[in-house]
Each structure stands twice: as C-alpha cells, then as structure tokens.
Amino acid sequence: QEIFGPVLTVYVYPEKRYEEVLELIDTTTPYGLTGAIFAQEKRIIDEARNLLRNAAGNFYINDKSTGAVVAQQPFGGSRISGTNDKPGGPHYILRWTSPQAVKETHVPLRDWRYAYM
C-alpha cells in the first residue's frame, strides 16, 4: 500500500552494516517517490547515491525530503510511484513529443562518399 505521508522510518543498525541497509532500502519496496540520506563522509554519500539511484524519483542528500518547490525543482516518482517524469523540469515536454532530427544539404552531392572520410 502506498501511503502519502509524511512517514518517518527509523531503523537502528550497526555502523559497519550500512551497506546491507542500503541494499534493504533498494530491494524491499516497489514504491519510490522520495528518499533521503544523511551522512558526512563523501565516500559513503557517493556509495549511497550509486546504490540507491533507482530507489526514489527525488533523492535528497543531507536535506529534508519534503523540500520540492513547484516551478523551482522538478518532481516525480520512481518505480510504481510514478513514471519518473519530472513535471517542472526541462525534459518533461519530451514525454509528450516525438523529437525528429532533420539535416538539409544545400550543396548538391557529387559522390556517395563523404569527402572527409
């Protein structure tokens, strides 16, 4: 069941087993709207960001996870919490369009090969 909170989950774990906790976070729910981690070591932050890259549509590092502001930050869920589209972001329009690349040459071709190849 998806719950629109806020919901605070606290899980006390041994410090040396944080990697197991990251895996637990990534593998135990089909939902993934928003997530946050708090850490001081850059290596741990990078590891968490990498391991949890698909765990949440919006991911906060050392910041509150309720901070998305309309027209200032794109927002969208991951997994079955949404399509991971980011309304408010520059790429959202691509969901509703079909981009096409067009190249027009104004000089007649004289050979089937490119001159620079």
Side-chain angles (χ1 to χ4, degrees):
Q1 174 181 344
E2 188 166 19
I3 301 169
F4 290 93
V7 174
L8 173 64
T9 302
V10 178
Y11 180 73
V12 180
Y13 59 91
E15 180 180 349
K16 300 291 185 198
R17 296 179 62 190
Y18 76 92
E19 291 164 319
E20 292 175 35
V21 174
L22 293 176
E23 183 177 346
L24 182 70
I25 292 167
D26 189 40
T27 60
T28 57
T29 181
Y31 301 102
L33 184 61
T34 301
I37 62 158
F38 293 86
Q40 294 180 359
E41 294 181 41
K42 184 68 174 155
R43 180 183 64 80
I44 303 300
I45 291 170
D46 290 343
E47 186 175 358
R49 180 188 351 227
N50 182 49
L51 290 173
L52 299 176
R53 68 187 171 275
N54 298 312
N58 278 29
F59 189 66
Y60 297 85
I61 299 170
N62 294 329
D63 199 4
K64 60 185 179 132
S65 62
T66 57
V69 180
V70 175
Q72 292 183 15
Q73 175 185 347
F75 188 84
S78 183
R79 300 180 176 164
I80 66 171
S81 289
T83 61
N84 207 17
D85 293 329
K86 300 289 189 249
H91 303 293
Y92 186 60
I93 191 70
L94 293 176
R95 177 153 173 82
W96 312 107
T97 63
S98 180
Q100 179 185 44
V102 176
K103 178 184 181 225
E104 181 179 352
T105 301
H106 297 282
V107 178
L109 295 177
R110 301 202 191 302
D111 194 352
W112 59 272
R113 294 168 290 199
Y114 288 102
Y116 55 85
M117 295 181 111

